[in-house]
Amino acid sequence: MNRKLFSLFFLVFSFNSLIINAQTLWLDETQVSRFESGWGQTKANLSVDGNNLKVGGRLYKRGVGTHATGKVLFKVFGNAVSFNALVGVDDEAGDTASVEFFVLGDTKVLWKSGVLKKGDSARRVNVSLKGIERVGLLVTDAGDGIDYDHADWLEARIEYTGKTPEMARIKAPKPYILTPPAPDRPRINYPRVTGASPGKPFLFRIPVTGKQPLTFSVTNLPQGLTLDNQTGIITGVIEKPGNFTVLVKVTNAVGKDSAAFRINTGPLLALSPPMGWNSWNCWGLSVDQDKVKAAANAMISKGLVNHGWTYINIDDGWEAPARNASGEIMANGKFPDMKDLANFIHQNGLKIGIYSSPGEKTCGGFLGSFGHESQDARTWSDWGIDYLKYDWCSYSDKVKGRSLLELKNPYYIMRDALLKTNRAFVFSLCQYGMGNVWEWGASVGGNCWRTTGDISDNWKSMAGIGFSQLAAAPFTSPGHWNDPDMLVVGKVGWGPGLHQTQLTPDEQYTHISLWSLLSAPLLIGCDMSQLDDFTLNLLTNDEVIAVNQDPRAAPAKRASYDNENEVYVKDMEDGTKVVGFFFTRPDASGPAAEFQWVDEVKPQKITVSWAQLGLEGEYKARDLWRQKDLGVVYEKFVAEVPWHGCMLIRLSPLKK
Ligand code: GAL
């Protein structure tokens, strides 16, 4: 008994003495610039806007000013005693600001503030961290979007003994290049099919890699078209409907290649998913003519055009505030001459896209096309535009509800207006998937339709969108594509400031593989003039692009699925199957999913059986990212896949 009492006394005594010896790590004395912040940059002893920290009318000398979604993870090595702070919305925030603070320990929520709004006095946090290895500090948008969510951790500190806590931030994993460079000999790439509208200007640049100069020749070119034999650009007008198979031959100093190329002249455009660039994910509303030209120049100088990348699409932010006296829409001062810009783009064998909304205003608050649809379509046609993204946005003001008729109507009106012009427009619907748009997008003339809200450059967003497209997948067909939004690789940022995508290299391989299996439009969303080697390599693997551009447009199917991984399969026109293995296991769920709780997740072996793929017999397997044959396989395939990464395999039946 005495012994027990003594030990208890000793324990209490030693614990207290530990606490007495505890040291303090003030949050504001750490490298706060490494805290993640949904907007702006986290600051020490200042708000995210750079003002004195002020919550509920009270000034605070020290703390950290950040913005939802804001987060930081500390390794505390089981040595921490407690976390103390006051938390709240900074008074500088807009009136609608609301946030929620969380303190997490080893994936568990240890404390949460509940929703805090602007004006609320700061709430006290005092959490024991006994035995915890990692502590996550998180501010969320409380479910209503991050607008104005300026959030402060005031007088925030970790008490600890022994080893000083370290910020566990996610050292950016090194990019690694998988795909070998294209050979010097000519290689005709994809797409190898295109749609043309009878009687309207036709433009197509045959995508070929190989040492320059290349010499092109074609046989069986439809009447009305001519080929530039140096660049491979075909232009002209085909008057009559009909399907043509053209034989393309390309030679250079080291070799030659030939391939059949189809031009189908009729009602359908975009016979394979559109590939190009769009200004939104990098420049947002700060897009201007020079940035667009820079994208077009990079498309050529970095050789992307040789891999099928074609469209240069201007998103929101080009429109002047008012129409001219005759009611025509005009470009604002950032785009001095749209016609000239379109010419410049066409001369390079590229195509140009533009953006508008069926409402009075676009999403960015610029002028929309409501009431001027035919006039705007004519203006764009005069400028030489080839592609229209038509974004619902303020059209909500024009409808009472969301009946199918109301959802379809604005798109019918614009389809008819576009068809009456002198040019062929790819028509891209953007209304975030309302009313299962994939079921009827084709009937209103859509060539593609957004199936979701906007993507952002993190795993949760990209994988959340990418792995939830199966219901829409059967609705793809040549000329009709589900659009899970644009690519978030390279330098993105929604303008004018840019940052490197937050997706890890493995996550980026998943992004491109998944979009390829899904036959999604491929619209690069980064600053093309800053393309690094990794991103360029990621976007120029012709065997992966061939999966995206396959003319059969077969829907991707899920062959197997569990909590940790998914296997997708797509039937190709030539009878082969492409199988994507994805190691998707989330680290944790709920608020804990915002953090990476372990330094390294070991690769996983994912097995798919022939029964799951609907196969029998022997197949040749090829690793598409590495462009490497893997030999003959039967009964099953086992892929070793990095966490959040993938393996993309093409299985070709062995010829008997
Ligand atoms: C959004 C759309 C984005 C972008 C933006 C422009 O509605 O989903 O892709 O176009 O509007 O304001």
Side-chain angles (χ1 to χ4, degrees):
M1 181 74 181
N2 267 349
R3 246 180 96 146
K4 270 192 184 160
L5 251 180
F6 175 76
S7 338
L8 192 69
F9 172 77
F10 181 75
L11 261 179
V12 169
F13 175 78
S14 48
F15 185 64
N16 273 342
S17 70
L18 278 181
I19 294 179
I20 290 161
N21 291 333
Q23 313 202 47
T24 304
L25 178 75
W26 290 90
L27 224 53
D28 53 78
E29 287 176 349
T30 66
Q31 262 186 293
V32 293
S33 60
R34 287 174 60 203
F35 286 33
E36 283 183 45
S37 156
W39 181 87
Q41 265 221 343
T42 307
K43 296 192 172 63
N45 305 324
L46 292 174
S47 71
V48 71
D49 257 355
N51 299 312
N52 288 329
L53 296 165
K54 196 173 176 195
V55 172
R58 251 193 78 180
L59 281 166
Y60 293 84
K61 280 222 175 67
R62 68 188 310 180
V64 162
T66 187
H67 195 286
T69 306
K71 51 184 157 171
V72 62
L73 188 67
F74 283 97
K75 293 184 190 174
V76 293
F77 314 107
N79 288 329
V81 179
S82 63
F83 174 74
N84 288 287
L86 288 152
V87 297
V89 174
D90 196 282
D91 284 4
E92 76 187 4
D95 288 342
T96 55
S98 62
V99 300
E100 188 166 15
F101 290 80
F102 295 84
V103 179
L104 295 108
D106 300 336
T107 78
K108 293 202 176 61
V109 175
L110 304 178
W111 180 86
K112 59 180 177 181
S113 64
V115 178
L116 292 177
K117 294 190 186 304
K118 184 183 166 175
D120 290 347
S121 50
R123 194 152 298 175
R124 184 165 296 280
V125 194
N126 182 348
V127 201
S128 160
L129 296 180
K130 230 180 122 200
I132 299 288
E133 288 291 324
R134 287 177 189 226
V135 182
L137 303 178
L138 172 70
V139 193
T140 71
D141 63 4
D144 64 353
I146 68 163
D147 281 5
Y148 305 117
D149 286 349
H150 298 216
D152 299 337
W153 297 94
L154 305 160
E155 297 167 6
R157 60 207 184 269
I158 298 172
E159 307 286 343
Y160 67 98
T161 58
K163 197 168 171 190
T164 316
E166 284 170 13
M167 219 181 274
R169 165 94 168 280
I170 329 167
K171 243 197 301 143
K174 269 216 162 73
Y176 60 99
I177 285 179
L178 290 181
T179 305
D184 278 348
R185 61 174 171 74
R187 190 176 67 197
I188 302 175
N189 295 315
Y190 300 88
R192 291 187 184 172
V193 57
T194 193
S197 295
K200 298 190 175 184
F202 176 87
L203 171 73
F204 186 84
R205 182 168 175 152
I206 304 165
V208 180
T209 45
K211 212 170 156 80
Q212 296 288 336
L214 299 165
T215 309
F216 292 78
S217 66
V218 285
T219 44
N220 208 23
L221 200 61
Q223 213 186 348
L225 297 188
T226 51
L227 165 81
D228 178 326
N229 67 1
Q230 311 277 296
T231 59
I233 299 175
I234 303 173
T235 50
V237 176
I238 311 171
E239 290 301 338
K240 293 215 182 78
N243 294 345
F244 305 91
T245 302
V246 179
L247 186 68
V248 178
K249 285 192 185 151
V250 190
T251 56
N252 68 3
V254 284
K256 58 183 181 201
D257 192 19
S258 60
F261 171 67
R262 278 175 275 166
I263 303 177
N264 292 357
T265 313
L268 280 183
L269 291 173
L271 295 183
S272 63
M275 289 175 69
W277 172 85
N278 174 294
S279 56
W280 185 250
N281 288 355
C282 47
W283 301 123
L285 296 174
S286 71
V287 62
D288 62 32
Q289 179 171 292
D290 288 346
K291 288 175 174 141
V292 174
K293 274 197 171 166
N297 281 331
M299 208 64 123
I300 306 293
S301 66
K302 310 249 162 133
L304 283 149
V305 71
N306 306 326
H307 304 270
W309 298 93
T310 301
Y311 286 95
I312 299 291
N313 292 351
I314 307 167
D315 207 280
D316 204 357
W318 62 269
E319 311 87 336
R323 292 173 178 273
N324 68 12
S326 15
E328 282 163 4
I329 197 158
M330 296 181 304
N332 58 37
K334 295 188 292 164
F335 289 88
D337 192 338
M338 279 291 196
K339 225 177 194 165
D340 188 58
L341 180 60
N343 276 339
F344 167 79
I345 285 173
H346 291 153
Q347 274 155 17
N348 285 297
L350 300 171
K351 298 185 183 182
I352 176 167
I354 211 153
Y355 165 99
S356 191
S357 167
E360 308 258 4
K361 293 270 188 245
T362 65
C363 297
F366 287 75
L367 212 56
S369 293
F370 182 75
H372 292 269
E373 293 83 355
S374 299
Q375 207 174 13
D376 289 357
R378 277 196 305 275
T379 302
W380 299 324
S381 165
D382 288 348
W383 288 347
I385 303 292
D386 305 289
Y387 185 116
L388 172 67
K389 172 174 173 183
Y390 207 40
D391 192 355
W392 176 273
C393 253
S394 73
Y395 192 78
S396 290
D397 303 343
K398 303 286 171 200
V399 286
K400 289 204 184 74
R402 292 284 190 278
S403 70
L404 214 46
L405 202 65
E406 284 169 311
L407 289 174
K408 285 179 171 182
N409 196 41
Y411 292 101
Y412 276 132
I413 297 173
M414 186 49 84
R415 173 200 64 183
D416 292 349
L418 293 173
L419 285 175
K420 283 194 196 110
T421 69
N422 298 325
R423 291 190 70 81
F425 283 83
V426 166
F427 190 26
S428 157
L429 318 187
C430 178
Q431 46 85 289
Y432 340 112
M434 287 187 292
N436 291 355
V437 62
W438 45 92
E439 290 170 7
W440 52 265
S443 73
V444 297
N447 294 112
C448 42
W449 39 81
R450 279 273 297 279
T451 52
T452 72
D454 289 14
I455 197 167
S456 51
D457 58 317
N458 59 66
W459 171 256
K460 213 167 137 192
S461 168
M462 185 279 290
I465 290 176
F467 289 109
S468 61
Q469 298 297 306
L470 289 168
F475 295 90
T476 48
S477 65
H480 307 123
W481 311 104
N482 295 309
D483 176 3
D485 208 3
M486 300 173 285
L487 303 177
V488 276
V489 300
K491 279 223 150 60
V492 293
W494 294 267
L498 300 178
H499 60 261
Q500 194 63 34
T501 178
Q502 296 173 67
L503 294 178
T504 66
D506 285 325
E507 292 169 352
Q508 295 180 63
Y509 281 116
T510 292
H511 187 15
I512 304 299
S513 303
L514 195 51
W515 264 237
S516 295
L517 286 163
L518 293 170
S519 310
L522 296 179
L523 291 167
I524 302 169
C526 66
D527 177 3
M528 299 277 286
S529 63
Q530 294 191 61
L531 268 184
D532 54 284
D533 291 347
F534 170 77
T535 313
L536 185 61
N537 189 264
L538 190 71
L539 297 171
T540 52
N541 180 319
D542 298 297
E543 297 189 26
V544 175
I545 291 173
V547 179
N548 175 265
Q549 294 290 301
D550 192 61
R552 181 166 167 187
K557 292 186 185 142
R558 190 154 72 184
S560 79
Y561 166 72
D562 68 25
N563 268 344
E564 307 237 312
N565 59 58
E566 310 223 7
V567 179
Y568 275 46
V569 55
K570 177 174 174 177
D571 290 320
M572 303 288 283
E573 191 180 47
D574 65 358
T576 62
K577 277 184 198 276
V578 174
V579 187
F581 298 80
F582 301 96
F583 179 15
T584 52
R585 188 190 82 199
D587 217 21
S589 58
E594 298 289 346
F595 299 98
Q596 192 175 319
W597 295 95
V598 284
D599 284 333
E600 205 201 333
V601 181
K602 294 233 152 54
Q604 193 178 63
K605 285 207 164 92
I606 305 176
T607 303
V608 74
S609 69
W610 273 199
Q612 287 168 311
L613 293 174
L615 296 180
E616 266 177 16
E618 295 180 309
Y619 286 78
K620 277 191 296 183
R622 184 166 168 85
D623 178 332
L624 295 187
W625 278 111
R626 293 176 179 80
Q627 301 189 344
K628 227 169 108 185
D629 287 331
L630 301 175
V632 174
V633 287
Y634 57 97
E635 283 178 9
K636 64 178 184 206
F637 190 91
V638 186
E640 188 166 299
V641 185
W643 184 54
H644 283 184
C646 69
M647 194 163 180
L648 203 59
I649 302 294
R650 190 157 175 157
L651 295 172
S652 320
L654 264 196
K655 292 199 182 77
K656 296 244 164 72

